[in-house]
Amino acid sequence: MTYYKIDKEKKILDICCGLRAMWFNKNHPNAIYCDKRIRPKGFDDFRPNFSVIPDIQTEWSNLPFPNDFFHLVVMDPPHIITKEDSHRMVKYYGHLEKDSWETDIKTGFDEAWRVLKPNGILVFKWSEASIKKKHLLSVLQREPLFGHPNGSRVPCHWLTFMKLEESQ
């Protein structure tokens, strides 16, 4: 595999950045933002200033980074199972396929784990819009250290994992 040359200051990886909606600084100098999609400003008439412009366009299933590189990996994957591309959330974040979502999410999570340094942190954001957190965790086959539901009408969870050296 060919790896991107990475500046040593880049200690954070967002593997499915989308709109970078969770970020306070959407261009954090220590982060690399990845997504498989590119959508320039104006792709949505409702929110004309929104865009999906990753630093690196890549699939989460085959990240072009070496093992054990990043101190922090952020994963906010698509969480809606639908084919309806006109759905606002699908426009912004993408969607999962009904027949392959488990394999797709597990593969992406395992790639995020691979590029995470020992004792690094993986923050995983999940909405139960289509799939319950309990089912998701059975697919990931890892137990988070802690998490937090955001309390909105659509249950959204922040899950925190740590790649402890003894669990590798």
Side-chain angles (χ1 to χ4, degrees), residues 102-118:
E102 291 174 328
T103 301
D104 295 342
I105 289 289
K106 176 72 168 123
T107 301
F109 186 89
D110 288 348
E111 270 293 277
W113 202 257
R114 178 186 67 77
V115 301
L116 185 64
K117 280 185 170 291

Side-chain angles (χ1 to χ4, degrees), residues 21-117:
M22 74 172 88
W23 287 86
F24 289 103
N25 179 348
K26 296 182 185 326
N27 294 296
H28 195 284
N30 299 109
I32 296 176
Y33 301 93
C34 296
D35 206 292
K36 71 178 185 178
R37 303 166 304 138
I38 293 179
R39 295 193 173 195
K41 281 186 177 183
F43 78 90
D44 181 25
D45 293 337
F46 184 68
R47 305 276 174 134
N49 288 325
F50 281 12
S51 64
V52 176
I53 309 291
D55 296 328
I56 298 171
Q57 186 177 16
T58 187
E59 294 278 343
W60 71 27
S61 60
N62 191 23
L63 296 172
F65 307 113
N67 296 348
D68 305 326
F69 189 85
F70 295 97
H71 295 262
L72 173 64
V73 176
V74 179
M75 188 172 181
D76 180 7
H79 48 261
I80 296 174
I81 295 176
T82 184
K83 293 266 187 202
E84 187 181 329
D85 285 338
S86 64
H87 187 284
R88 181 176 55 93
M89 296 302 284
V90 171
K91 276 186 178 181
Y92 299 160
Y93 301 106
H95 70 279
L96 297 170
E97 298 291 336
K98 183 177 183 178
D99 297 331
S100 65
W101 80 264
E102 291 174 328
T103 301
D104 295 342
I105 289 289
K106 176 72 168 123
T107 301
F109 186 89
D110 288 348
E111 270 293 277
W113 202 257
R114 178 186 67 77
V115 301
L116 185 64
K117 280 185 170 291

Side-chain angles (χ1 to χ4, degrees), residues 7-13 30-31 69-73:
D7 182 340
K8 290 183 181 180
E9 296 299 312
K10 304 291 187 180
K11 299 176 185 310
I12 306 164
L13 176 65
N30 299 109
F69 189 85
F70 295 97
H71 295 262
L72 173 64
V73 176

